[in-house]
Amino acid sequence: KYEKIWMFFGGGSLLVFLIVLGVGAFLQGTQPPSCLTTINPENVEAHESFKQENLGVQQIDENNYVVNVVASAFNYDFGTDEDGNPQRNLKIPAGSTVLFQGTTKDVIHGFQVAGTNANMMLEPGYINSVEVTLNNPGTYTVICNEYCGTGHHLMTATVEVY
Ligand code: CUA
């Protein structure tokens, strides 16, 4: 007699569990975490932050900077330096708070400033960002930590904190 009750209880628990799981998966959907804004990967320049002239280091105020980057196989586009060459070395004064914002034109790339807390994925169709305060002077290497193809290891740049 009691077995029937327990079976019912067990089945009910399983049902509740499945509903919670289903609703959770549905509400969170297919959105990768930490992605707030969507972007057309075929036309990233349509977004103000990723226009060619807005790439790289942008000073907001005395202690706040934004770094905009567009990744593609196999390059990080930070705009151009003072000589008109592709920017490869980002200069940031020590003690600055930096918001790194990035996206990708093709596949998933990583964006990690080795030795700092700046570490994010760049996903096609999304803008990802990470904010860090860079207190310690030094030269930090930017690396792609998502395998993205044959030129994966070529995706490097440096952040110089001075
Ligand atoms: Cu880009 Cu690995």
Side-chain angles (χ1 to χ4, degrees), residues 72-74 76 107-110 144-149 152-153 155:
S72 59
F74 301 98
Y76 289 120
V107 297
I108 292 176
H109 295 278
C144 180
N145 53 19
E146 294 287 334
Y147 184 74
C148 53
H152 167 68
H153 62 284
M155 298 190 66

Side-chain angles (χ1 to χ4, degrees), residues 120-136:
M120 62 180 167
M121 267 167 93
L122 303 178
E123 296 155 282
Y126 294 96
I127 298 169
N128 278 283
S129 62
V130 61
E131 192 175 76
V132 291
T133 300
L134 300 174
N135 286 318
N136 302 320

Side-chain angles (χ1 to χ4, degrees), residues 2-142:
Y2 286 117
E3 279 156 16
K4 234 176 195 169
I5 295 169
W6 282 113
M7 282 240 320
F8 182 75
F9 185 70
S13 307
L14 187 67
L15 197 68
V16 168
F17 174 75
L18 287 175
I19 288 169
V20 168
L21 199 70
V23 168
F26 179 75
L27 288 180
Q28 278 150 31
T30 52
Q31 294 252 10
S34 87
C35 289
L36 302 172
T37 319
T38 54
I39 186 168
N40 178 1
E42 265 130 53
N43 187 18
V44 296
E45 291 223 21
H47 193 284
E48 191 64 26
S49 297
F50 302 109
K51 285 192 180 2
Q52 193 64 33
E53 64 267 27
N54 292 333
L55 295 180
V57 179
Q58 308 291 329
Q59 186 168 9
I60 305 303
D61 60 32
E62 205 189 331
N63 297 310
N64 287 281
Y65 290 77
V66 168
V67 171
N68 293 319
V69 57
V70 175
S72 59
F74 301 98
N75 180 50
Y76 289 120
D77 192 351
F78 295 106
T80 50
D81 62 17
E82 53 275 18
D83 301 321
N85 297 315
Q87 181 62 261
R88 284 282 156 263
N89 183 30
L90 311 172
K91 293 185 175 70
I92 310 267
S96 305
T97 298
V98 186
L99 176 71
F100 291 94
Q101 295 189 124
T103 189
T104 161
K105 289 181 172 178
D106 41 47
V107 297
I108 292 176
H109 295 278
F111 183 92
Q112 180 177 14
V113 185
T116 75
N117 289 329
N119 188 3
M120 62 180 167
M121 267 167 93
L122 303 178
E123 296 155 282
Y126 294 96
I127 298 169
N128 278 283
S129 62
V130 61
E131 192 175 76
V132 291
T133 300
L134 300 174
N135 286 318
N136 302 320
T139 301
Y140 300 86
T141 306
V142 176

